[in-house]
């Protein structure tokens, strides 16, 4: 991370004092957070708590990608927004909330659809990418792009009362699996219901977005056990977490020994309209 400095203002030392007290973070870790650049794709149910906790933690630059506008049905879970902003672009609304929460953070607004061109233009500008969408086309695009462009991807998903979370760092090579090691291809259209069809408990997105933020902070700080090679599953009705091991697939089309995916040309020029995490 370029530009890391241990020179903190008095206000910064006070703001981040609870971080600096942690031996695993300290001043050096807080400087890492301040120097980090994180791209959040989707300013919805997942992206809202994710972006807010990254900003509160002092992540220096947060990019927000979302082309959608705020609707009343979003406010049941998308806590970065409020009723007065109905009709406003979500990326701009999330940026306004972040700036009020922590003026020290730089927010870069990308009010555009995440398609192959956007992925190639934006992802190299950031250290780490967060997938806060619930659209299979966009998810596969981000997974492929992060592998090919050499960036870690922290990806969360929610539906009804359940959530899942993993980190993909397949660009580092074995033993790290990529997202296609888990799901080689997107499911056929209509097979998996969307949040607008099946519903989602709003607080579930808050929990998963906060867990996602925690994994991002751990990756930046280089502490703890990460989720690369693991899939964390949460069933809120049963109040139960499960941890599934993921293995790198030698035959994977993206990261395998005879990979066939070498660029983003197979992806459509525009991703399908996002559904739950972004919309």
């Amino acid at each position: 991370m370029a530009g890391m400095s241990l020179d903190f203002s008095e206000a910064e030392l006070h703001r981040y004092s609870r971080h600096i007290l942690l031996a695993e973070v300290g001043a050096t870790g807080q400087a890492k957070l301040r120097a980090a650049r994180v791209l959040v794709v989707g300013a919805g149910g997942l992206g809202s708590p994710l972006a807010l906790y990254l900003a509160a933690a002092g992540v220096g630059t947060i990019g927000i990608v979302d082309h959608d506008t705020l609707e009343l049905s979003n406010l049941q879970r998308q806590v970065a927004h409020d009723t007065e902003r109905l009709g406003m672009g979500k990326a701009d609304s999330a940026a306004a909330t972040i700036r009020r929460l922590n003026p020290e953070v730089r927010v870069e607004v990308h009010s555009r659809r995440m398609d192959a061109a956007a992925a190639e233009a934006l992802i190299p500008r950031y250290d780490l990418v967060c997938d806060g969408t619930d659209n299979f086309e966009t998810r596969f695009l981000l997974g492929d792009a992060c592998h090919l462009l050499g960036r870690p991807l922290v990806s969360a998903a929610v539906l009804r009362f359940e959530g899942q979370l993993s980190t993909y760092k397949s660009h580092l090579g074995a033993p790290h699996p990529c997202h296609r090691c888990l799901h080689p291809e997107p499911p056929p259209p209509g097979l998996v219901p969307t949040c607008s069809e099946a519903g989602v408990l709003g607080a579930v997105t808050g929990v998963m977005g906060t867990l996602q933020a925690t994994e991002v902070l751990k990756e930046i700080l280089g502490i703890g056990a990460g989720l690369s090679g693991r899939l964390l599953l949460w069933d809120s009705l049963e109040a139960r977490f499960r941890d599934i091991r993921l293995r790198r697939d030698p035959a994977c089309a993206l990261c395998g020994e005879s990979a066939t995916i070498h660029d983003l040309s197979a992806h459509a020029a525009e991703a399908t309209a996002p559904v739950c995490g972004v919309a």
Side-chain angles (χ1 to χ4, degrees):
M1 298 169 192
M4 197 177 91
S5 168
L6 291 176
D7 185 19
F8 292 99
S9 68
E10 220 175 296
E12 286 177 308
L13 290 172
H14 191 59
R15 180 185 286 270
Y16 305 123
S17 60
R18 302 309 191 269
H19 272 179
I20 295 170
L21 287 170
L22 295 169
E24 296 85 349
V25 181
T28 300
Q30 194 60 49
K32 289 181 180 179
L33 294 176
R34 185 173 61 183
R37 295 176 55 83
V38 176
L39 184 65
V40 176
V41 183
L46 292 166
S48 287
L50 166 61
L52 294 182
Y53 269 109
L54 295 182
V59 171
T61 303
I62 301 173
I64 306 288
V65 183
D66 200 315
H67 77 287
D68 206 3
T69 56
L70 190 64
E71 299 179 0
L72 186 60
S73 63
N74 302 147
L75 298 180
Q76 166 254 14
R77 63 200 177 280
Q78 300 183 15
V79 295
H81 316 292
D82 60 47
T83 306
E84 293 181 358
R85 296 183 189 162
L86 292 177
M88 184 177 181
K90 289 185 185 178
D92 286 314
S93 175
T97 303
I98 289 171
R99 290 176 182 129
R100 284 205 306 273
L101 174 64
N102 190 350
E104 304 283 348
V105 170
R106 178 180 179 184
V107 189
E108 297 177 345
V109 175
H110 307 288
S111 298
R112 61 185 295 183
R113 191 185 295 273
M114 177 53 77
D115 55 20
E120 291 177 333
L122 295 177
I123 288 175
R125 294 164 51 182
Y126 294 87
D127 303 311
L128 186 147
V129 179
C130 307
D131 178 8
T133 72
D134 191 20
N135 171 278
F136 285 109
E137 289 81 0
T138 309
R139 285 186 174 280
F140 272 76
L141 167 65
L142 289 174
D144 290 356
C146 285
H147 173 81
L148 295 170
L149 297 170
R151 293 293 185 272
L153 173 67
V154 180
S155 179
V158 294
L159 187 66
R160 290 175 51 79
F161 303 97
E162 299 177 352
Q164 66 179 46
L165 175 65
S166 190
T167 297
Y168 299 102
K169 299 195 287 186
S170 55
H171 61 285
L172 298 179
H176 302 283
C178 75
H179 75 114
R180 286 185 183 267
C181 294
L182 175 63
H183 298 297
E185 298 289 342
L191 180 64
V192 180
T194 66
C195 287
S196 60
E197 296 167 339
V200 62
L201 188 69
V204 171
T205 66
V207 171
M208 295 311 301
T210 302
L211 286 172
Q212 194 175 11
T214 304
E215 292 305 311
V216 171
L217 297 176
K218 285 164 56 183
E219 287 292 330
I220 295 170
L221 293 168
I223 62 174
L227 282 177
S228 180
R230 299 162 59 197
L231 180 67
L232 186 67
L233 303 172
W234 180 48
D235 182 337
S236 68
L237 291 183
E238 296 295 326
R240 180 174 298 153
F241 283 95
R242 289 191 298 143
D243 191 328
I244 298 175
R245 287 285 172 181
L246 303 179
R247 299 189 182 278
R248 192 174 178 114
D249 180 5
C252 176
L254 181 64
C255 72
E257 297 169 1
S258 302
T260 57
I261 300 173
H262 303 293
D263 55 40
L264 301 179
S265 59
H267 291 274
E270 290 189 343
T272 303
V275 183
C276 179
V278 179

